[in-house]
Amino acid sequence: MERLGVEDGEYIESAMVTRAVEKAQKKVENMHFEGRKNIVEYDDVANEQRKIVYRFRSDLLNPEYNVGEKIDTIRSEYIDRTLIQCGIFEGIPEEEIDIDHLVAILKEELNTDLDASAFSEKEFNAIRTQMLLLLSREYNDKMSVVDPKIRSDIEREIYLKTLDTAWREHLYQMDSMKTGIRLRAYNQKDPLVEYKKESYNLFSELVETIKYDTIKTLHIIRFRVDSAEEEAEAFARQMELEKKQEAFRMS
């Protein structure tokens, strides 16, 4: 300051200095604005997903919602996915169809005992139709021992519990991804674009997880023959209690 001939506490007046300070201030303000803008855009992605999940959750809580019809639809989609998993598709040669592998997967995932001989016709549409028939019949026979209202309550509660569990895990994954996604900028990639792309993939996986974990759980549960209705009612009450406890924890 002495070199400039300015004493301590003396006001510095210079157009060059003033412009430099203003320019630096604008850079800082723009940086903070972009940071806030990105945070909002990141949150917008999560909020759109939240709206979709909560809208469907509200549907499930609506007594008028036909959850049984939804379960039937999911079962059909599960069959399609399982056939692809087993390499069984339309037009596949009969000698390449591995029914034993298909039966093994259904046993492992649904705890269902299907006989390979039930698939005598080795053709894609025939196999798919037979799978849908056998799985639907087995499930409906199991649920026929309980009151339709109890059946609907069980389906609804299992669907809700599966959704809530998967949604919490999804939010954790989204937060973890958002923390690390900004590093993509070092590879000349737009972090927000990458975040939107990966969040879409995660959300697609979430939807699949909710649907197929629900159908697996519903097919796996078993009721004792001697007290099926009482057991089903107790099961429904327990699921309702757990739902209320979960709602209390989230409030």
Side-chain angles (χ1 to χ4, degrees), residues 71-120:
I71 297 303
D72 289 341
T73 300
I74 297 173
R75 183 183 298 108
S76 181
E77 293 175 1
Y78 168 80
I79 288 173
D80 290 335
R81 192 198 69 158
T82 305
L83 288 170
I84 292 173
Q85 183 181 350
C86 292
I88 301 175
F89 49 88
E90 194 165 5
I92 184 174
E94 180 178 325
E95 60 272 14
E96 295 182 17
I97 295 177
D98 189 348
I99 293 297
D100 290 333
H101 184 209
L102 174 62
V103 169
I105 286 180
L106 295 175
K107 172 63 177 177
E108 178 183 355
E109 295 189 347
L110 304 184
N111 192 30
T112 184
D113 291 310
L114 297 184
D115 195 327
S117 63
F119 301 93
S120 55

Side-chain angles (χ1 to χ4, degrees), residues 120-143:
S120 55
E121 189 175 348
K122 302 294 192 299
E123 190 270 330
F124 173 78
N125 289 319
I127 293 172
R128 187 188 185 284
T129 300
Q130 185 70 346
M131 280 181 68
L132 185 58
L133 173 66
L134 294 174
L135 292 179
S136 298
R137 179 187 296 165
E138 181 187 67
Y139 180 75
N140 289 325
D141 286 348
K142 174 180 66 178
M143 288 298 194

Side-chain angles (χ1 to χ4, degrees), residues 176-190:
S176 298
M177 182 180 66
K178 185 166 63 174
T179 300
I181 203 77
R182 293 182 178 87
L183 297 176
R184 304 289 177 88
Y186 292 109
N187 293 327
Q188 306 301 314
K189 293 182 178 180
D190 186 333

Side-chain angles (χ1 to χ4, degrees), residues 1-2 4-14:
M1 299 295 289
E2 292 177 355
L4 296 174
V6 180
E7 296 181 3
D8 290 345
E10 186 175 345
Y11 178 70
I12 302 175
E13 185 173 0
S14 167

Side-chain angles (χ1 to χ4, degrees), residues 186-203:
Y186 292 109
N187 293 327
Q188 306 301 314
K189 293 182 178 180
D190 186 333
L192 184 58
V193 172
E194 293 295 301
Y195 178 78
K196 289 180 177 179
K197 182 170 64 177
E198 294 199 17
S199 64
Y200 173 80
N201 293 335
L202 281 177
F203 191 71

